[in-house]
Amino acid sequence: EILLSEIFMMNNNIEKISLTEKKRMNAMIKPKSKSDKSMIAWINSFGWHKNLHINNLDNDLSDGIIILKLLSKCKEKCVKWRNVRKKSKIRHKFDKLSNCKMIMEICQNHFDFSLVGMGGNDIVDGHQKFIRTLLWQIQLTYSTRGINLYKHGHEHQTKKKMISEYDIVKWSNQQINKLKEQDIDQELIKKQISSLKDSSLSNSIYLLNLLSSINISWVDYKLIYSVPNRIKSRSGGSNDEYKKKRKNNARYLLTIIRRLGQNIFISADDICRVEQHAILSVITSIMTIATKYEKEISHEANDDDEKEQEPN
């Protein structure tokens, strides 16, 4: 059998594949990164028809239909579906390009995305960098669509200003300052963060404090491990002495967020490694929870006022 396989490899009369075919083949067999897996899980979570489920971000989005559906989830009626080439009617590259050009027009007219140098052909050709940049901004917009952090001047405009990392960090630090006034062990209240890559986020305590700043009863501090941040050693490894405890903190954090009604597609390991996409997903979910909670409290207060005003 070994001899036959060697003969086959030496002389099988099979034409060598072209460079384009080789790139496609490598893309198909290339293992997905954890961020890609999270993004694919998020996209498929919308419950599309089985024909629209994706397995690869580079190849399965080339006709633009899934991206158009994601944009319509972010803002209703931004897509004119009568002008979209349906999957069953796409016959060649130009049909795909028509859909992808529409994507770029919608992003320009309805969203505050940063897509410098990107065109519809980049989606058709599966340009990894551009596709992930676009998807990341769509996910951020979808995650923060219910958060009322826009200035009054933007409320009546067609295109709202997208929430930036600066806005998210500022809001988070303000919430932590509120928590310092509560009767909580001050050692568990971490200092302010400077960015979403701050190493102090690796033990999840800052993020759990964010939840506690909204409603202190949501977090049981007896279940939190007070552990140091993840530290990288000079040799390139990491201090894993507290790895399990940091992971348990992250699992507890995700459990609370999901219990409060937020769908979040990241793992505890992503938080422990301070992956930016994971931290952003966590904080935007907490911001959404805070917005909903504030609305519920205000409605309850209004109902109580109305009851008091009712004549006997």
Side-chain angles (χ1 to χ4, degrees), residues 110-275:
H110 295 275
F111 299 96
D112 187 34
F113 292 168
S114 176
L115 301 171
V116 179
M118 181 176 178
N121 58 304
D122 292 308
I123 302 173
V124 176
D125 296 336
H127 195 294
Q128 295 183 20
K129 182 180 178 181
F130 286 128
I131 289 174
R132 281 157 183 75
T133 299
L134 173 59
L135 289 174
W136 181 239
Q137 292 181 82
I138 291 173
Q139 188 182 41
L140 175 59
T141 302
Y142 181 81
S143 300
T144 58
R145 71 195 188 285
I147 301 172
N148 188 22
L149 283 184
Y150 302 109
K151 293 181 180 179
H152 294 295
H154 293 285
E155 286 181 357
H156 302 292
Q157 293 181 8
T158 307
K159 183 165 60 174
K160 287 186 176 181
K161 185 176 182 293
M162 193 168 75
I163 293 175
S164 65
E165 180 178 337
Y166 171 80
D167 297 322
I168 293 169
V169 171
K170 183 181 177 181
W171 178 86
S172 301
N173 288 331
Q174 286 174 347
Q175 291 294 117
I176 294 299
N177 288 334
K178 290 179 185 177
L179 188 64
K180 289 179 180 178
E181 301 171 4
Q182 301 291 332
D183 185 20
I184 297 175
D185 184 357
Q186 295 297 312
E187 291 184 4
L188 284 175
I189 301 178
K190 299 298 179 181
K191 296 179 181 179
Q192 296 186 348
I193 58 171
S194 56
S195 72
L196 299 180
K197 297 178 182 177
D198 198 303
S199 61
S200 65
L201 296 168
S202 63
N203 59 19
S204 300
I205 294 176
Y206 180 94
L207 301 170
L208 285 160
N209 284 336
L210 276 184
L211 281 168
S212 189
S213 69
I214 304 167
N215 187 328
I216 201 166
S217 65
W218 288 346
V219 179
D220 185 350
Y221 280 85
K222 293 178 182 178
L223 301 178
I224 299 176
Y225 293 99
S226 181
V227 291
N229 308 328
R230 181 173 178 264
I231 302 170
K232 288 187 177 181
S233 65
R234 293 179 182 178
S235 61
S238 61
N239 179 13
D240 289 332
E241 184 180 354
Y242 301 101
K243 182 178 179 180
K244 193 171 183 179
K245 291 181 178 180
R246 281 195 296 269
K247 194 169 182 178
N248 285 338
N249 283 351
R251 284 173 175 165
Y252 183 46
L253 169 69
L254 292 174
T255 299
I256 297 173
I257 291 173
R258 287 167 179 152
R259 191 184 68 204
L260 293 170
Q262 293 298 304
N263 292 325
I264 187 165
F265 296 92
I266 60 171
S267 67
D269 288 324
D270 293 333
I271 299 173
C272 295
R273 289 194 300 269
V274 196
E275 296 282 353

Side-chain angles (χ1 to χ4, degrees), residues 26-38:
N26 290 336
M28 291 175 68
I29 62 175
K30 184 177 66 175
K32 301 182 186 77
S33 65
K34 289 193 175 182
S35 59
D36 278 7
K37 287 179 180 178
S38 298

